Amino acid sequence: MNRTGLFVALGLALVVGLLFGIYPELDLKLAGLFYDATSKSFPLKLNTAAAIARDAAMWIAWGIALPAIVALVVKLIRPERPLLISGRAIVFLLGTLVLSAGVLTNLTFKSYWGRPRPVVVTQFNGPEQFVPWWDPRGSCGRNCSFFSGEGATAFWTYAPAALTPPAWRPLAYAAATLFGVTTSALRMAFGGHFFTDVATAGLVTFLVIWLAHGYIYRWPSTRLSDEGVDASLTRFARRGRRWGRGREDSKPSVVQGATKPAGTNEP
């Protein structure tokens, strides 16, 4: 996560953005490589092995995040216990995953950027008009094409790669790149996304990870410590516990065996 990586990502973003902005038909040509004109469909979408590979990719990504999730849950339940893994790693891994694969994709762009998916545009026997990556005025209403959530999740593996020992880091980055590219190619082969959807997912995710890594680990004015994260989570969990107890104490008590009015006969 050095400046070289940042400059490479920004350079790629500039080239891809300009090239596919000026020549948007390139997106259609690349998507057309996976389209069968005879059956008028994307055949790989019906391939069982490809579908299993797609699901497996998401399970792998979330499996990598699982230790951080478990460590956070245990800490919130048992705040007096030390964290099971590095506090900074928890913040870094879960924070980047939520931002890149959740907030920026599904809650932001895919909800408001109306670009139709390849499988539904007229060039591939669908009912909707193709729009380039930069145009949010497409006819898609929700869960749209730009940009890829699964692509962002796959490329998120750059985050755990950044935490590997320095000797293994180049190999980890190469594996994360291969994982992201393969997952993205599957999404294109299914007719689920254009090239610019998955390319944007990878570039945006990398930039989120680069910035988060700098904020948490590298920049002296902002970097965190494992002890500080542990203490903050302890305070947060204890406040939550006290708040929960306070709500329980504020509930009105039920009076058992209320006295009957005078003159009432017992059954």
Side-chain angles (χ1 to χ4, degrees), residues 10-224:
L10 292 176
L12 286 173
L14 181 63
V15 170
V16 171
L18 287 176
L19 183 62
F20 284 80
I22 297 171
Y23 304 106
E25 63 273 13
L26 290 175
D27 255 336
L28 291 170
K29 290 182 179 180
L30 289 175
L33 297 176
F34 304 99
Y35 180 73
D36 179 39
T38 303
S39 63
K40 297 182 179 180
S41 68
F42 289 86
L44 204 61
K45 185 172 64 171
L46 304 176
N47 185 286
T48 302
I52 292 173
R54 173 193 176 184
D55 293 339
M58 294 300 97
W59 281 107
I60 290 170
W62 282 100
I64 294 172
L66 185 60
I69 296 171
V70 170
L72 178 60
V73 171
V74 170
K75 183 65 177 179
L76 294 178
I77 295 173
R78 299 287 300 276
E80 67 280 357
R81 294 188 58 179
L83 284 166
L84 299 176
I85 66 174
S86 161
R88 289 183 297 177
I90 293 174
V91 174
F92 177 62
L93 293 175
L94 298 187
T96 52
L97 181 59
V98 169
L99 278 174
S100 60
V103 174
L104 291 177
T105 51
N106 293 301
L107 297 181
T108 307
F109 279 90
K110 287 171 69 66
S111 297
Y112 299 102
W113 205 274
R115 187 186 203 187
R117 296 176 182 271
V119 73
V120 298
V121 300
T122 56
Q123 289 84 351
F124 301 122
N125 199 42
E128 302 185 30
Q129 293 296 319
F130 166 80
V131 294
W133 71 265
W134 49 265
D135 191 347
R137 299 168 297 176
S139 55
C140 174
R142 64 183 181 86
N143 194 25
C144 303
S145 191
F146 190 80
F147 53 91
S148 172
E150 290 183 30
T153 303
F155 280 111
W156 167 83
T157 52
Y158 280 128
L163 301 184
T164 56
W168 289 92
R169 206 165 291 163
L171 182 60
Y173 283 142
T177 301
L178 179 61
F179 183 62
V181 169
T182 302
T183 303
S184 298
L186 276 175
R187 296 302 293 129
M188 291 181 63
F190 290 162
H193 287 289
F194 292 103
F195 173 79
T196 46
D197 300 328
V198 295
T200 301
L203 292 168
V204 168
T205 300
F206 180 86
L207 291 174
V208 167
I209 292 169
W210 192 91
L211 289 170
H213 190 271
Y215 186 92
I216 295 170
Y217 287 98
R218 298 194 313 273
W219 302 334
S221 61
T222 61
R223 64 184 169 206
L224 309 178

